[in-house]
Each structure stands twice: as C-alpha cells, then as structure tokens.
Amino acid sequence: MWSVPFNYIRCIVVGICLLVAGCSGMEPGGGEEIEEQPELDETLADLITFQGQRSLLDFAFPESDDFGSIPQDPNNPLSAEKVELGALLFHETALATNPIKAEAVGTYSCATCHHAGAGFQAGIGQGIGEGGSGWGQNGEGRRAQSSYAPDDVDIQLIRTPSVLNTAYQEVMGWAGTFGVRGPNRGSDILWEEGTLFEVNRLGYDGLESQAIAALTRHRMDSLENSIVATDPTYQALWESVFPGEPVSTERVGLAIAAYERTLLANKAPFQRWLKGDRMALSAAEKRGAIVYFSKGDCETCHTGPSLNQMDFYALGMPDVPGATEDIDILGRGAYVRVEEEEYKFKVPQLYNLKDNPFYGHGGTFRSIREVVEYYNDGIPAVNLPAGRLPEQFVPLELTDDEIDDLTLFLTESLYDPDLDRYAKATLPSGNCTPANDTQAKRDLGC
C-alpha cells in the first residue's frame, strides 16, 4: 500500500474546498438523517483511489473466516480449528499458571488486557494482569491490589495496544520489537539470549512472536500440565491442530496469534461504504473522510485496511507517568540502538478508538478530538532533539468545522459495533472471563 502524493492532495483540495466548506459543521452525534450525497461520494472515492489508480477495496478488510485473504505468517497457517482453539485460549483465565502469588493462579487471561468491549484494549490506560483486581463495567474498574508490592504487579508502563486488525502489522509492540520481517529484517544481531527480543529467533512474524513472548512475560507459561493438556475439549481441539505434539508455550502462542489475525473491524460503517453501501456514512462523516484523505494529510501515515503503517515517528507525545524502561521511553531507538530512532513509536491502527479513551503511546490524551487538535496545532508537548520531528508534523490549519467532521469520521465511521462476535463468554474451565479474581467475578456477575 502506498500513500497519495501530497501535491496531488493539494490539487484535489482546491477543487473541493467549496463543496466541503459549503456544508461543513458536525451534526450532533453525526445523527442527521442520511441521504444520498453523490458529490461527496465521488470526491471521497477520487481521493482514496487517486483517480482510479488504486481500488477502494485496497482499504477493505476481508471476512474473518476468509483465511486465504487474511495476511498470515507462512509458518502459522490459519484454519478454523486453530482459530477456535486460539479464541478459547485467549480468553482462558486458567492459563494464569505461573504467577508470583499462588492465589493469583487462574485469575487473568490475555483478554484481561485485550477484550472486545474495549476494542481489544484494556478499558484502562495500562493493562493489569497479575496483581489486578476488579473489572467495573468494561475493565475500567481494574486496579492494582494493595497486597502486592508495586514491582510485583504485572502492569504495562505504556498504553496497552489493541490487537484489533493486527493481521496487518508485520511487527508488534510500540517499538516494533517482535517479528522478523518488514522493518525488523536483518536485525537478528539484536535478538540476544535472555532479552525480550530473543523470541524472534524462532523466526515468526510479529503477531506470533508477541503472543509467545507475552505468555512468559505475563506469567502464563507453565502449560505442560495445564488445563490445555488435561481437559477433553482442549485436547480434542489440540489434536486437530497440533496432532501428536505436546502442549508448549510456543504452540499455545501460535494458536492465540491465529485467532488474533481474524479480529477485523469489517462491520465498521467506513468498511461498508468501501464495499458499496453509500448510505453507510452521513454527510458529516464523508466530509470528515475527505479531510482525512486531503487537507488533514492523515493517510500519509495511517493507510491500508487498518489505517496504520510499519513506520515509527517521534511526535513529542508524553510517556506514561512513571515510565522507567528505555523501551517505553525511547521506543524504536531502544530496540535498534540508534540515537536517531529514539523517541519514535509505531503508527497505530485507527479502528474502534472510542472504545478505550486513552490515546498516544503514553495514554495521556483522553479524547479523539484532543488528538486531532494536537496534530492540527503541530506543536510537540515534549521537547525532542533537533531534527527528530517528522516533516509532516506541522500546523494543518484545519477549521473548527473540519476538526469536528474529522473527529466524527474517526469516532463513528471507523467503529465496528459488534466486536463481541469475537468474544468467548464460556470456557472449558468454567472460569469467569476476561478476569477471574474475586472482585472481578462480582463485577462480572459470574
């Protein structure tokens, strides 16, 4: 996927400025009666396709069971059985097998920090595995337990990233530390034994490497005698996916990664519009999309089906308060050990942003509009070394109406309202999910 040249965008903007300005202004909640807007549709289609030089479907997701169309690791081919196994394992709190404290056994899962209700994020700025308690309505009530020493709580000191649409990411993590292809090709000298990056020696793509590493990092890696190896439901699935192979952290990670590759926001209104439903977006949302693909210059970095990119930028956004590890502060620079790459973080995907009101790698922005205004102002919140800011980070001079429309597009048009179709409400273990500690069970009513 390539980006539209900015000079071309400038030309298109000149041609549509009267169209946009003449009808700009966000209707409350984008809730106006939707009518056909052929002029807006044509303008938007021209911007996206670069006047026919690419297809609208270049930005469309496949169906989640169309495995042949979903990007995948050739060493971890998708199958219906593997995806089903991975879905159960992703939500299975009985995989919490190796916590620091015995009372935490069986109390958390991958879904604790990446659940459907929060757009496969945590519901809070920083996910908490072991040492967390409670749930609230949507994960927002999870807190560190006072009985744990702070260093023993498994809390992420960077905003918990979404696993939604991660099939379109060659490398994983804000610093791109996981995966052997794309921007990490040739970086094997960095995969030293005993480091976070050692998992890349297995040769997998980012999603697979990250899933395997996460099981160890989040204290879920004592699996040989776990429920996966003893429960009849899991054993039947396991034998269909890994016949004759023993349960291992690597294979559990591969199944989880296979499931994660199918988590696609393909019911979002913009996806429906791309596939021909011209009534899927309101006029205000279409105007916001026009700003996105023109004056806002968003597509330069946020492109392709998931509106992301395997590039890294220093934008002067604040870190998580209290962050201490180099990887959470220096980002890509801490991985590649190149000074010019310090403070750079990976371009994130943009779907279902409103499910989890924490934005930026540090989670310090609390609304989508606040982020749009930050880019529009083009002024870094944190001082960076000279020459580190990208040339694209300049004031955009969007009007208030254009900011309103762009915010609406990002908030509503890119929102898939039915991510629960990917969740598992019941597990072979009978445990609660996404979390299974005493307070979480009360909050979840299970």
Side-chain angles (χ1 to χ4, degrees):
M1 180 62 63
W2 50 278
S3 299
V4 178
F6 193 61
N7 287 338
Y8 170 77
I9 290 175
R10 292 290 189 193
C11 294
I12 287 288
V13 172
V14 171
I16 66 174
C17 61
L18 291 177
L19 174 65
V20 176
C23 56
S24 188
M26 184 177 69
E27 296 81 355
E32 83 275 17
E33 182 178 349
I34 296 179
E35 300 177 352
E36 291 189 12
Q37 298 284 344
E39 298 90 353
L40 290 174
D41 289 324
E42 182 178 357
T43 298
L44 179 54
D46 279 348
L47 282 167
I48 295 173
T49 65
F50 195 15
Q51 288 193 325
Q53 294 190 35
R54 59 184 180 184
S55 169
L56 293 177
L57 296 181
D58 289 341
F59 288 80
F61 293 119
E63 294 301 311
S64 295
D65 58 358
D66 182 6
F67 300 144
S69 299
I70 296 174
Q72 56 193 284
D73 187 330
N75 296 313
N76 189 33
L78 301 183
S79 69
E81 294 79 11
K82 187 183 289 184
V83 170
E84 176 64 14
L85 175 62
L88 290 170
L89 295 172
F90 182 90
H91 292 87
E92 182 57 82
T93 46
L95 290 195
T97 52
N98 195 25
I100 290 175
K101 294 192 175 187
E103 59 263 34
V105 169
T107 62
Y108 53 91
S109 67
C110 302
T112 303
C113 298
H114 305 279
H115 60 97
F120 288 99
Q121 297 179 81
I124 51 179
Q126 302 158 250
I128 308 174
E130 183 188 359
S133 175
W135 193 252
Q137 295 296 313
N138 199 39
E140 82 291 340
R142 194 158 179 81
R143 297 290 184 270
Q145 297 183 46
S146 59
S147 59
Y148 271 74
D151 288 346
D152 290 341
V153 177
D154 180 22
I155 184 170
Q156 299 184 27
L157 289 179
I158 198 165
R159 179 170 68 81
T160 304
S162 175
V163 295
L164 188 64
N165 307 322
T166 44
Y168 293 86
Q169 298 186 34
E170 290 179 307
V171 296
M172 288 292 289
W174 280 104
T177 50
F178 298 110
V180 300
R181 295 199 291 174
N184 284 356
R185 193 179 298 278
S187 64
D188 47 302
I189 193 174
L190 304 173
W191 307 336
E192 298 167 347
E193 185 175 356
T195 68
L196 179 67
F197 325 128
E198 179 184 7
V199 68
N200 289 330
R201 292 183 176 189
L202 296 173
Y204 294 114
D205 282 358
L207 200 51
E208 283 70 20
S209 297
Q210 190 274 336
I212 295 165
L215 290 167
T216 297
R217 184 163 188 175
H218 300 302
R219 309 165 192 173
M220 303 166 69
D221 57 343
S222 294
L223 300 173
E224 291 75 11
N225 298 310
S226 70
I227 189 173
V228 187
T230 59
D231 178 82
T233 299
Y234 278 124
Q235 271 299 286
L237 273 171
W238 187 271
E239 282 301 311
S240 70
V241 176
F242 303 111
E245 300 289 345
V247 173
S248 68
T249 300
E250 179 179 350
R251 295 186 189 96
V252 168
L254 292 178
I256 289 172
Y259 162 70
E260 290 175 325
R261 286 187 180 276
T262 69
L263 302 178
L264 304 174
N266 48 30
K267 291 188 179 181
F270 183 55
Q271 287 291 312
R272 290 162 41 210
W273 184 91
L274 289 167
K275 296 170 184 177
D277 181 2
R278 294 297 180 259
M279 302 291 283
L281 302 181
S282 68
E285 288 174 272
K286 292 172 185 176
R287 294 195 302 269
I290 287 170
V291 174
Y292 181 99
F293 286 97
S294 60
K295 186 177 178 181
D297 199 23
C298 309
E299 196 232 344
T300 297
C301 299
H302 295 275
T303 190
S306 60
L307 302 178
N308 70 330
Q309 197 177 76
M310 294 300 98
D311 280 338
F312 304 83
Y313 295 98
L315 299 173
M317 292 182 171
D319 302 318
V320 166
T324 56
E325 293 188 21
D326 284 349
I327 201 73
D328 299 328
I329 299 171
L330 301 179
R332 185 68 174 173
Y335 172 62
V336 298
R337 306 174 193 174
V338 175
E339 184 177 358
E340 289 74 20
E341 296 298 306
E342 291 179 352
Y343 310 106
K344 293 184 179 182
F345 295 90
K346 192 177 68 179
V347 178
Q349 70 89 36
L350 295 182
Y351 280 83
N352 282 66
L353 294 180
K354 74 175 183 178
D355 276 334
N356 195 64
F358 300 89
Y359 308 100
H361 71 276
T364 53
F365 296 88
R366 296 306 309 274
S367 73
I368 296 171
R369 185 183 177 93
E370 186 181 357
V371 178
V372 172
E373 290 173 340
Y374 182 80
Y375 280 100
N376 189 50
D377 292 341
I379 301 171
V382 176
N383 290 328
L384 295 173
R388 204 62 54 86
L389 285 169
E391 61 182 13
Q392 303 99 315
F393 191 71
V394 294
L396 298 174
E397 300 180 355
L398 300 181
T399 67
D400 287 343
D401 287 340
E402 288 169 333
I403 291 173
D404 285 341
D405 289 340
L406 177 56
T407 301
L408 183 67
F409 171 71
L410 295 170
T411 304
E412 302 296 339
S413 308
L414 304 183
Y415 181 73
D416 185 323
D418 186 28
L419 295 185
D420 281 342
R421 67 189 182 276
Y422 297 121
K424 292 292 183 183
T426 59
L427 303 171
S429 66
N431 285 1
C432 281
T433 188
N436 193 48
D437 60 88
T438 301
Q439 185 59 52
K441 287 193 286 187
R442 291 195 193 102
D443 292 347
L444 291 163
C446 63

